[in-house]
Amino acid sequence: MKTLRKAVIPVAGLGTRFLPATKAQPKEMLPLVDTPVIQYVVEEAIRAGVESLVLVTGRGKAAIENHFDISFELEDTLRRRGKQEDLDLVRGISHLAQFAYVRQGEPLGLGHAVLCARHAVGDEPFALLLGDDVFDERDSALDALIAAYHSTGKSVVGVQEVPLEHVSRYGIVSAPEGHHGTWKVTSIVEKPQPSEAPSRWAVVGRYVLEPRVFDHLAALEPGVGGEYQLTDALAILAREGRLVAAPIPAKRYDTGNKLDYLKANVEFALKREDLREDFAAYLKELSRGL
């Protein structure tokens, strides 16, 4: 079994749910306090042992590449002004990992975005992280998936249980009654109606996939909206007996949803030692006037 060294992060989406803020900047660069969402995702992969990251980009995403690149002018200015702490912070971002970028020329769905990374990934297993879902860094979201991959040798989807009324927002996997830990997935359905959902266990933007998934993606026909759905390829893996589900214990923040994005900013600010006390006092004062 090959060691998992690479991760794919699709960042080619248009971010229409956050217009007009995303008209001229990538949604992945929206900050949680002072750090872009995409940096939290990258750092999560690195903490899990990933060495090389493949970001699937599109037009208008240059800010992401620039963020993880060396910024000579900024570094030189900080150096001359003696702002060593800021200089170390900026330098650290460009040395987080090895980055490669591939372009998704058309918005043809998540399955197509993953397929665009095929030649950069090669014949290796890889982690797949979606940028809308950010997890509490105090708990690892990927560790359980990597452990499940090493113990089974199969592709793994990270799941969390969601309310029945929310299953139509996610890919939903089958789940045996009374299961404990990782389990074999026999079916996966994209955004089912509550009455048709096989369970309440939702795929929440974290995967560890075998390279064979690329063959299934390449053979797919376009689905709803002319897009190639990753779920359709995962359904084939499930029918082959090659897909398992691993619950993710870490708290999840859905930064693709405006209300949840605002909640995430509040909670991330309250975790910061330099902000917690003053910000908590402000929130208490604000709540009295509501």
Side-chain angles (χ1 to χ4, degrees):
M1 189 183 303
K2 293 185 178 180
T3 301
L4 191 144
R5 303 182 305 115
K6 296 182 178 180
V8 173
I9 307 177
V11 291
L14 297 176
T16 54
R17 286 186 290 179
F18 276 86
L19 287 171
T22 52
K23 179 175 182 282
Q25 69 169 329
K27 67 173 182 176
E28 296 83 5
M29 290 299 295
L30 294 176
L32 289 177
V33 187
D34 56 6
T35 301
V37 168
I38 184 61
Q39 185 172 326
Y40 285 105
V41 178
V42 166
E43 289 175 345
E44 177 191 335
I46 293 168
R47 287 196 303 272
V50 169
E51 302 170 3
S52 178
L53 295 125
V54 181
L55 275 64
V56 183
T57 71
R59 286 182 292 276
K61 300 289 183 169
I64 296 174
E65 298 184 31
N66 292 339
H67 180 71
F68 293 108
D69 198 1
I70 294 172
S71 178
F72 174 78
E73 296 85 353
L74 176 60
E75 292 183 16
D76 184 60
T77 298
L78 294 173
R79 185 185 304 107
R80 286 187 287 104
R81 293 180 179 178
K83 295 189 174 183
Q84 189 62 42
E85 185 175 345
D86 289 337
L87 178 60
D88 292 342
L89 177 66
V90 170
R91 279 179 170 172
I93 295 171
S94 59
H95 293 88
L96 285 171
Q98 296 178 338
F99 292 90
Y101 300 90
V102 297
R103 291 285 288 264
Q104 183 184 22
E106 300 177 76
L108 295 179
L110 177 58
H112 180 260
V114 175
L115 184 59
C116 289
R118 182 174 198 169
H119 295 295
V121 171
D123 188 27
E124 295 188 40
F126 63 99
L128 172 64
L129 300 89
L130 306 189
D132 284 347
D133 290 305
V134 175
F135 292 85
D136 191 324
E137 66 271 19
R138 292 172 294 189
D139 298 304
S140 175
L142 275 180
D143 280 357
L145 277 68
I146 294 173
Y149 166 73
H150 285 307
S151 65
T152 66
K154 299 177 181 180
S155 294
V156 188
V157 290
V159 296
Q160 290 185 335
E161 203 166 16
V162 299
L164 186 61
E165 60 269 23
H166 292 173
V167 296
S168 60
R169 305 176 185 176
Y170 300 92
I172 303 294
V173 301
S174 60
E177 291 188 14
H179 63 82
H180 298 283
T182 301
W183 69 87
K184 179 181 177 181
V185 175
T186 57
S187 66
I188 178 170
V189 183
E190 180 69 16
K191 298 179 179 177
Q193 293 302 309
S195 61
E196 300 172 351
S199 75
R200 292 193 293 114
W201 286 94
V203 181
V204 287
R206 296 295 183 271
Y207 314 74
V208 172
L209 301 174
E210 307 165 85
R212 67 191 295 149
V213 74
F214 290 125
D215 292 331
H216 297 321
L217 289 169
L220 288 181
E221 295 293 331
V224 177
E227 294 188 345
Y228 296 85
Q229 301 294 338
L230 175 63
T231 301
D232 292 340
L234 297 179
I236 298 172
L237 289 177
R239 291 195 294 270
E240 295 175 339
R242 301 293 308 174
L243 187 67
V244 298
I248 294 177
K251 183 172 182 178
R252 178 174 65 98
Y253 301 89
D254 180 5
T255 63
N257 173 288
K258 290 179 183 178
L259 179 58
D260 286 349
Y261 172 74
L262 293 173
K263 291 178 180 179
N265 265 287
V266 171
E267 292 194 31
F268 273 64
L270 290 173
K271 296 176 189 176
R272 293 268 297 261
E273 291 186 5
D274 60 330
L275 296 173
R276 183 187 304 119
E277 185 175 346
D278 290 342
F279 190 49
Y282 165 74
L283 292 174
K284 289 178 182 177
E285 180 182 349
L286 183 66
S287 66
R288 295 191 192 103
L290 296 179

